[in-house]
Amino acid sequence: MKNDEVMNIAKKRGFLWSSFEIYSGVAGFFDYGPLGATLKNNIMNKWRNYYVISEGFYEIESPTIMPEEALKASGHVDHFNDPMTECKDCLEVFRADHVINEATGKDVEGLENDELSRILSEEKLSCPRCGGHLTHVWSYNLMFQTLIGSKGKKTGYMRPETAQGIFIPFKRLLRFNRGKLPFGVVQMGKAYRNEISPRQGVIRLREFTQAEVEIFVNPKNKNHPNFKEVSGDVLNLYSAESQMKETGPSKLTAQHAVTEEIISSEILTYQLCLARRFLNDLGISDDVIRFRQHLSSEMAHYAIDCWDVEIETDSFGWIEIIGIADRTDFDLKSHSIHSKEDLTVFIEYSEPKTVMKIMAKPQMKKFGPLFKADAPKIMEILKNTDASSIEESFQEKGHYPVEVDGTIHNLTPDIIEFQEVEETIRGEKIYPHVIEPSYGIDRIIYSVLLHCFQEEDDRTILKLPADIAPVEVNVFPLVNKKELANLAQEIKKLLRNNGFIAEYDASGTIGRRYARSDEIGVPYAVTVDHKSLEDNTITIRNRDDSKQVRIPIKEVYNTLGDLINLRIRFEDL
RNA sequence: GCGGCUGUAGUCUAGUCUGGUUAGGACUUGGGCCUUCCAAGCCUACGACCCGGGUUCAAAUCCCGGCAGCCGCACCA
């Protein structure tokens, strides 16, 4: 399996290995070794080039530990507590609420475990598989819980996604962007999920790195100003419809996908295109990429459209590495309700609207003495009540009942005056919708390693794009002679002084060194030979075809700089 | 969480069934020799029985527990 070979090399050469090995490891945790950490940084910086520099979305950084209230609002506290029950006979484990729901049709979501246990026994429910006896219900919490502060009173959780760290300071972010939509904010960082049984190496981790973008848009305008730039891009789309019909994915232009309403909006389509371009830049080709739309049954209740970017692997099938969703206004609305903060955006109309409106005006001379302390509260209620409903009530019943703190006051026509007023409306307050591309960095790194790995004859080559390769250039003396070695060392120093990640290696034959170099994906090797001593030239060897060109030593860092930053191609030297 | 299989240097592996000398080999890696372009050869060195407990005069080997990996089930808003 290619997976096994890649993971072997990753371990052997210092990209990735499982953490805490000397204590026999803990499932779901991985270390990035010297090359892995550098590769990860390079990939994350390339990602920044896309989203921070090109798209103009600023990056923020928020804590990885979050207070319970925040995750309560986001729905994670409730959603991550799965009530479980086990069959004592066949030892199958089930979601208790699912068992009850399927057997009785009752909606028991959100009930306490004790309550669920009670229902299980009262309804005499048994194992759906073998009919055996079910145990009491316990919670399996997918969030890592911790306590904040020395008194340990405040419950905290490790964040299950970086996104919430963007929604919470939304007011400040909106102000930073001077109150105008659309704008995007990104965050890269660790997220944590206490998976029941993590497997598949780096694919399902308990601690992983996300790169998330939250783009806040006006729900009435989900177009994208630069859509033209991507409209011709061809996407391998596996829509919900073709999944149901089992017709397989189809290759369509972005324009087509929007026109045919396969993808719900221009902006979502634009994000799909961006993701594809990013993956291409990492050396992942289109034939292993597909965009799979969530079926309505698997879509989170707050999303209206969601596409997973999937990569084909030999041992895990198609794996999700990026999720691109239209999360609507769910998160902001929910945080707004829980925090009592106004998280709306004021959208100004291009033309102010004037409307005629009937206002119910209290006659204060009678109002005050009549209702005393309740008067201000009643006025507040009047302000928020449609005057026409009061008028109707007067006509039907002769009065309008108002409840204040449990007491009912009847308003009568003699204390209310109706006035027609002209009101100017300059705009409206709305909750923005959120378009969210969410990248799983660890899975992307795995995909990059997997698909850059090539075996040609007896050679193993990691064909990493030059601009993300952790080691940029190796310098070798052709044979281990003092004069050649000295010059090679000097050139390595020269390259390092010019900002290259350069290594020197004189151990073993030149072929062995080239082989080692290829295996970790070093794109170029500089070789010092006898001719170098005579005319101050060296050769640059191209990793992918092992061809060499000879250039003067004094041009070496300019040439390598151009090659590594993809300004020129090796063939054009 | 459950069941099955597995666990010997960096990697692959012999030995385990049938307990018994210094755990053997290959590759890799380090040092040296040789070598003027793609894992050659020679010399040399480093390096391992997953962890804990039990049985036994004696445990890599047998038993129990744990941990990890793989596969299947379940889970993965």
Side-chain angles (χ1 to χ4, degrees), chain A residues 375-427:
Chain A
K377 291 178 187 167
I378 296 172
M379 281 165 66
E380 186 62 30
I381 292 168
L382 282 181
K383 226 195 228 171
N384 296 319
T385 309
D386 184 10
S388 57
S389 68
I390 301 174
E391 256 187 327
E392 265 173 43
S393 182
F394 283 170
Q395 277 163 19
E396 282 172 24
K397 301 185 255 183
H399 63 269
Y400 180 79
V402 172
E403 190 190 323
V404 177
D405 302 331
T407 326
I408 293 187
H409 299 290
N410 280 321
L411 306 183
T412 45
D414 61 308
I415 55 169
I416 301 283
E417 201 175 291
F418 291 98
Q419 267 183 0
E420 203 175 28
V421 292
E422 190 183 272
E423 198 177 355
T424 308
I425 305 170
R426 307 203 158 269

Side-chain angles (χ1 to χ4, degrees), chain A residues 535-538 540 550-557 559:
Chain A
D535 65 1
N536 287 315
T537 62
I538 46 81
I540 296 180
R550 185 171 289 277
I551 61 161
I553 291 174
K554 61 179 196 303
E555 287 173 17
V556 69
Y557 54 84
T559 305

Side-chain angles (χ1 to χ4, degrees), chain A residues 75-92:
Chain A
H76 286 93
V77 168
D78 298 323
H79 282 278
F80 267 59
N81 271 314
D82 286 345
M84 311 293 283
T85 181
E86 187 185 0
C87 170
K88 280 179 182 168
D89 299 320
C90 73
L91 301 170
E92 286 281 2

Side-chain angles (χ1 to χ4, degrees), chain A residues 18-38:
Chain A
S18 46
S19 304
F20 319 116
E21 272 181 329
I22 64 166
Y23 298 107
S24 59
V26 182
F29 295 95
F30 266 77
D31 287 353
Y32 284 93
L35 296 182
T38 309

Side-chain angles (χ1 to χ4, degrees), chain A residues 79-147:
Chain A
H79 282 278
F80 267 59
N81 271 314
D82 286 345
M84 311 293 283
T85 181
E86 187 185 0
C87 170
K88 280 179 182 168
D89 299 320
C90 73
L91 301 170
E92 286 281 2
V93 177
F94 304 95
R95 284 271 301 262
D97 52 346
H98 290 182
V99 171
I100 295 170
N101 183 268
E102 273 162 35
T104 67
K106 283 182 192 164
D107 180 18
V108 290
E109 215 183 295
L111 291 187
E112 296 296 320
N113 291 342
D114 290 350
E115 193 73 2
L116 292 170
S117 297
R118 198 181 55 76
I119 295 172
L120 281 177
S121 59
E122 270 180 12
E123 301 273 346
K124 297 193 169 60
L125 296 181
S126 52
C127 172
R129 169 163 287 201
C130 75
H133 189 264
L134 293 170
T135 63
H136 68 281
V137 177
W138 78 91
S139 287
Y140 187 80
N141 194 336
L142 282 169
M143 288 197 290
F144 285 100
Q145 200 181 52
T146 188
L147 293 169

Side-chain angles (χ1 to χ4, degrees), chain A residues 52-301:
Chain A
V52 179
I53 297 176
S54 300
E55 296 298 306
F57 302 151
Y58 280 87
E59 179 174 356
I60 69 162
E61 187 177 317
S62 65
T64 57
I65 295 177
M66 296 178 67
E68 186 164 35
E69 306 91 280
L71 291 162
K72 194 109 195 164
S74 69
H76 286 93
V77 168
D78 298 323
H79 282 278
F80 267 59
N81 271 314
D82 286 345
M84 311 293 283
T85 181
E86 187 185 0
C87 170
K88 280 179 182 168
D89 299 320
C90 73
L91 301 170
E92 286 281 2
V93 177
F94 304 95
R95 284 271 301 262
D97 52 346
H98 290 182
V99 171
I100 295 170
N101 183 268
E102 273 162 35
T104 67
K106 283 182 192 164
D107 180 18
V108 290
E109 215 183 295
L111 291 187
E112 296 296 320
N113 291 342
D114 290 350
E115 193 73 2
L116 292 170
S117 297
R118 198 181 55 76
I119 295 172
L120 281 177
S121 59
E122 270 180 12
E123 301 273 346
K124 297 193 169 60
L125 296 181
S126 52
C127 172
R129 169 163 287 201
C130 75
H133 189 264
L134 293 170
T135 63
H136 68 281
V137 177
W138 78 91
S139 287
Y140 187 80
N141 194 336
L142 282 169
M143 288 197 290
F144 285 100
Q145 200 181 52
T146 188
L147 293 169
I148 301 172
S150 58
K151 282 182 184 160
K153 281 275 156 60
K154 200 174 174 68
T155 300
Y157 296 94
M158 305 305 291
R159 64 181 178 194
E161 59 172 9
T162 60
Q164 297 304 325
I166 298 176
F167 298 132
I168 292 165
F170 176 74
K171 278 180 90 153
R172 293 202 179 274
L173 294 169
L174 177 64
R175 210 172 162 74
F176 172 84
N177 286 283
R178 297 200 306 249
K180 285 178 83 174
L181 295 178
F183 68 89
V185 178
V186 313
Q187 175 158 220
M188 311 184 83
K190 293 283 185 110
Y192 302 81
R193 295 177 191 187
N194 200 0
E195 300 285 353
I196 294 174
S197 168
R199 295 230 186 112
Q200 308 173 325
V202 87
I203 303 304
R204 252 174 95 201
L205 293 172
R206 288 187 164 126
E207 172 170 333
F208 55 101
T209 301
Q210 289 188 311
E212 294 195 296
V213 192
E214 309 301 327
I215 306 162
F216 299 96
V217 302
N218 186 335
K220 289 186 184 133
N221 181 8
K222 290 186 180 176
N223 292 330
H224 195 285
N226 299 331
F227 185 71
K228 272 202 190 86
E229 288 173 21
V230 301
S231 60
D233 285 16
V234 176
L235 301 170
N236 187 23
L237 296 175
Y238 197 19
S239 68
E241 198 188 339
S242 30
Q243 288 168 64
M244 301 298 282
K245 290 184 182 162
E246 297 180 0
T247 54
S250 41
K251 294 185 169 64
L252 299 173
T253 63
Q255 183 62 62
H256 195 97
V258 171
T259 318
E260 300 290 314
E261 294 180 356
I262 293 164
I263 306 173
S264 65
S265 65
E266 248 187 28
I267 187 163
L268 206 60
T269 312
Y270 181 88
Q271 292 305 323
L272 261 56
C273 294
L274 222 55
R276 174 184 158 266
R277 290 184 178 195
F278 176 69
L279 293 176
N280 284 168
D281 270 8
L282 297 181
I284 299 173
S285 65
D286 283 328
D287 47 315
V288 296
I289 301 175
R290 77 175 183 196
F291 296 85
R292 194 183 65 82
Q293 188 173 34
H294 277 204
L295 302 172
S296 50
S297 58
E298 69 181 304
M299 195 140 50
H301 57 287

